[in-house]
Amino acid sequence: MAATSVLERRAGLLAAADRVVQREGSAASMNLIAAEAGITKPILYRHFGDKSGLYRALAARHTDVLLERLRAALLTRGGLAARTRATVDAYLTAIEERPQVYRFLVQRAAVEEPDVRGDVE
């Protein structure tokens, strides 16, 4: 399989995992993710190594977006108070937009997988 195909397949599996997480939150499981992707769990393991690898990939996907928002908020003009308000607002808005993702990352992934906990923190 070509490298591009592997990367595309991995991206598709992450998208399926993301849909499950956004729908199920902390109840998202490897079984539900595999079913959403139309594959078996061993295929998920082949692409991500283990549950921790999948959870870390999902955490990276969402924390990268959050970090971009926070960095932009830190550039807010008007002094420290304005930057602080913008940063807190960016963080809370991200949670409000995708509460199930927050629940999954904080209540499931970070609890089950110590490596993910560090990524989320």
Side-chain angles (χ1 to χ4, degrees), residues 56-100:
R56 279 195 317 272
L58 283 169
R61 182 178 211 170
H62 290 285
T63 56
D64 288 349
V65 171
L66 176 59
L67 289 173
E68 287 176 26
R69 287 179 170 191
L70 294 174
R71 286 183 189 111
L74 288 170
L75 298 175
T76 299
R77 294 181 179 194
L80 181 59
R83 279 192 301 278
T84 302
R85 276 192 299 279
T87 303
V88 170
D89 187 51
Y91 181 77
L92 294 177
T93 297
I95 293 171
E96 287 174 351
E97 289 174 354
R98 295 181 177 195
Q100 295 290 50

Side-chain angles (χ1 to χ4, degrees), residues 2 4 10 16 21 27 31 36 40-41 45 56 63 69-70 73-74 85 99-100 111 113-114:
T4 303
R10 182 181 167 96
V21 166
N31 286 331
E36 178 75 19
T40 61
K41 279 192 336 184
Y45 291 121
R56 279 195 317 272
T63 56
R69 287 179 170 191
L70 294 174
L74 288 170
R85 276 192 299 279
Q100 295 290 50
V111 170
E113 302 295 333

